[in-house]
Amino acid sequence: TARYFDTKTTEPISFYLSSLEELLSWQPDSNGDFNISAVPLAKRQPPLHSKRPRTLVCHDMRGGYLDDRFIQGSDTRNPYVFYHWRYIDIFVYFSHHTVTIPPVCWTNAAHRNGVPVLGTFITEWTDGEKMCEAFLAGGEEAYHAVSEQLARIAQHYRFDGWLVNIENTLSAAAVKNLPPFLRRLTAQVHSAVPGGLVIWYDSVLQNGTLKWQNELNEENRVFFDACDGLFTNYNWKESNLEHSRELAGLRRTDVYVGIDVFGRGEVISSGFDTNKSLRLIRQYGLSTAIFAPGWVYEHLGEENFLQNENKFWALLAEYLPTHSICTLPLATSFSLGMGNSRFLDGKEEEAGPWYDLSLQEIQPLYPEREGRLRTSCCLQDAWCGGSSLRVQGTIPPGEEHVATRLFSLQMPAPPKLFLTLLYKLEGPHPDNFTVALELTTGDSATCHEGNVTSLPEPNGRHHPRLLPAPPPGLAKLLAACNHGSNGWTSRCYELDLQDCSLRDLSLLVSRHQPSPQETSFTCLVGEVRVLDAASMVASAPQVQSLAASQLWWQ
């Protein structure tokens, strides 16, 4: 059980497998149950297999399994977190261990935000050569056993597949079995994990030589054809993008062109100039794999990490198609899964740093408009968890309000919605502003608010009615209606819609008097909920067959 628990603290930890023997002898073990993701992959729109270019993030930080290995969290100050989930499609956890099983906290955070997570299967150097010889050079039983185990591991721990990285020379016998191994692994992952994926890293060629191509070509195409995608090496030029696009044909979005944010070797751009590389990749309609965006944390330091992180992703946002939420309820208090203290109902419950990505909540879009609007994370004050969402902006001269898009939605609107909002205005004159929620609906001639006789809203913008008190039967769920505390204001709303589809949820900040001057505001958003009234009335399913094991009182 040494692998499952920290030797110093006895706490459960995430782990990897170091050899072919460990992989082949792996069996589900109740000591490892802490590593099973508890969060199913949330649906989002458009789905992964849509034909628009995708964005993969490959997380590689100082060998991996740092403080993120502590399944029940740690008291790390200024940890690394990722939260721009709305902008990406796939998250890969990378390390140089043979079988990298993603730490479960990453899978939980990604899944809550609709992003699938891949582990890494890697062989490298002379040990890698020996290992590949052992499982690829013989008969099919050997590589079938490996593909079977990899698929079982993904299924058991509930992550979504594998990045396969063979970075060593292969004998003729071994390379001959590589495409059938990849085909077999891909088929098994697809059947074991709904929506599962296998992606191949551009390394070995079809003749067994280790030679990075920086593109899809005739030398590595056989591997691309055997799985769900190719992740290219980083030292490409524009001509490589052209070749890849031509050869991939209808599968061009399955080519993930690598960008190393650290900029090792000859690269077009890196760091805060990563957008230059990304612009080129998108001109060719290809997907991208952003490698080690933790550069922001490792290179620029942890002190201003959240500020630098927002800057990094804001520079790329133009080339990152965003994703919409497509199921209700939507409820979030914006927690990043870390904090300098823990808050409950707007009050600090416990001071001191904490880090637990499994507790990260659904993350918004983080829109930025040069000089006009900024959204960021506020660690100093929160309604619940470790942080709130800070929205800072200016209302231009002559205008009454400004709307900040928090979430993109894509789903049919239920007939009745309840919405709740908790916010706090900062700054010298909070009484000059009103804060509310705005929902937009898709342009449809049939869509209208309230009863059939009411007129359609111009441009599909709806301002839900304020509820002075929760409706009967929902008093518990909407308990906070108009009962903010500790400086937070609480609001509940209802909205009746017919034949509408939901598009955006925005925060609307208005000033009471129109003014020839521009007016600045800062608003903390502590919690937002969008609830389908019909499903709120239904009683929650009863928990059944509850069992407790391995109790140890300390």
Side-chain angles (χ1 to χ4, degrees), residues 193-411:
V193 179
L197 290 169
V198 173
I199 291 176
W200 170 256
Y201 183 72
D202 153 30
S203 48
V204 171
L205 309 184
Q206 62 183 4
N207 63 8
T209 325
L210 176 61
K211 194 173 182 195
W212 297 271
Q213 299 297 292
N214 303 297
E215 65 174 16
L216 171 67
N217 60 27
E218 291 301 346
E219 300 291 327
N220 59 20
R221 177 187 188 156
V222 54
F223 308 120
F224 176 66
D225 292 342
C227 68
D228 297 308
L230 167 80
F231 176 155
T232 78
N233 190 46
Y234 314 104
N235 309 115
W236 46 268
K237 304 203 167 25
E238 199 169 342
S239 55
N240 301 118
L241 303 180
E242 219 165 314
H243 298 160
S244 298
R245 182 174 75 173
E246 275 168 37
L247 195 58
L250 292 175
R251 284 190 68 200
R252 71 177 187 201
T253 53
D254 293 339
V255 177
Y256 299 85
V257 181
I259 301 177
D260 178 2
V261 182
F262 277 86
R264 287 160 282 210
E266 267 190 55
V267 298
I268 301 275
S269 70
S270 61
F272 283 131
D273 290 330
T274 295
N275 54 341
K276 293 178 185 151
S277 300
L278 191 50
R279 183 184 323 135
L280 271 179
I281 293 168
R282 296 305 199 214
Q283 277 168 12
Y284 287 87
L286 300 167
S287 292
T288 186
I290 300 175
F291 183 76
W295 169 84
V296 174
Y297 183 87
E298 291 188 68
H299 180 71
L300 301 173
E302 48 195 55
E303 281 312 306
N304 290 323
F305 166 61
L306 293 175
Q307 215 173 323
N308 290 326
E309 180 77 342
N310 288 346
K311 175 181 170 183
F312 179 81
W313 290 97
L315 288 167
L316 302 183
E318 188 185 338
Y319 309 106
L320 302 174
T322 59
H323 294 82
S324 307
I325 286 174
C326 61
T327 52
L328 292 179
L330 162 59
T332 181
S333 62
F334 305 102
S335 179
L336 294 185
M338 58 156 295
N340 296 329
S341 39
R342 291 176 192 266
F343 294 85
L344 188 61
D345 295 342
K347 187 163 138 273
E348 186 181 67
E349 288 277 294
E350 197 182 336
W354 63 277
Y355 173 50
D356 185 350
L357 281 172
S358 289
L359 300 181
Q360 188 184 87
E361 302 217 7
I362 293 173
Q363 293 298 309
L365 282 164
Y366 292 101
E368 298 262 336
R369 284 204 294 277
E370 231 11 84
R372 292 272 309 274
L373 182 72
R374 267 188 61 215
T375 43
S376 57
C377 158
C378 170
L379 292 168
Q380 292 74 41
D381 198 354
W383 172 252
C384 176
S387 53
S388 56
L389 185 70
R390 183 188 279 120
V391 179
Q392 290 166 292
T394 52
I395 301 177
E399 289 186 28
E400 282 173 27
H401 56 246
V402 68
T404 306
R405 195 162 150 249
L406 300 179
F407 292 99
S408 163
L409 310 170
Q410 195 175 329
M411 61 186 124

Side-chain angles (χ1 to χ4, degrees), residues 357-532:
L357 281 172
S358 289
L359 300 181
Q360 188 184 87
E361 302 217 7
I362 293 173
Q363 293 298 309
L365 282 164
Y366 292 101
E368 298 262 336
R369 284 204 294 277
E370 231 11 84
R372 292 272 309 274
L373 182 72
R374 267 188 61 215
T375 43
S376 57
C377 158
C378 170
L379 292 168
Q380 292 74 41
D381 198 354
W383 172 252
C384 176
S387 53
S388 56
L389 185 70
R390 183 188 279 120
V391 179
Q392 290 166 292
T394 52
I395 301 177
E399 289 186 28
E400 282 173 27
H401 56 246
V402 68
T404 306
R405 195 162 150 249
L406 300 179
F407 292 99
S408 163
L409 310 170
Q410 195 175 329
M411 61 186 124
K416 188 191 242 331
L417 287 166
F418 289 122
L419 299 93
T420 68
L421 168 67
L422 274 144
Y423 69 90
K424 181 186 269 193
L425 282 160
E426 294 191 316
H429 305 292
D431 301 340
N432 295 353
F433 300 98
T434 309
V435 181
L437 291 173
E438 176 180 90
L439 264 178
T440 50
T441 51
D443 36 303
S444 140
T446 61
C447 168
H448 51 253
E449 244 184 76
N451 55 22
V452 182
T453 55
S454 55
L455 294 169
E457 287 287 312
N459 61 30
R461 293 176 181 278
H462 305 273
H463 301 115
R465 284 187 304 284
L466 198 58
L467 281 176
L474 291 178
K476 226 183 192 152
L477 189 74
L478 304 181
C481 281
N482 297 341
H483 291 299
S485 53
N486 300 301
W488 291 85
T489 304
S490 169
R491 294 279 183 258
C492 294
Y493 308 90
E494 66 177 342
L495 181 61
D496 298 318
L497 294 171
Q498 293 196 341
D499 305 321
C500 301
S501 58
L502 301 178
R503 280 290 171 269
D504 290 306
L505 177 67
S506 301
L507 185 78
L508 197 65
V509 178
S510 319
R511 55 181 167 194
H512 298 163
Q513 260 73 45
S515 160
Q517 270 89 45
E518 63 171 33
T519 320
S520 303
F521 64 86
T522 299
C523 179
L524 300 183
V525 188
E527 185 185 73
V528 168
R529 296 188 295 175
V530 182
L531 313 170
D532 173 356

Side-chain angles (χ1 to χ4, degrees), residues 58-73:
C58 190
H59 172 66
D60 173 21
M61 189 173 278
R62 301 172 186 158
Y65 301 95
L66 308 173
D67 290 341
D68 53 3
R69 75 185 185 279
F70 290 104
I71 296 171
Q72 296 171 336

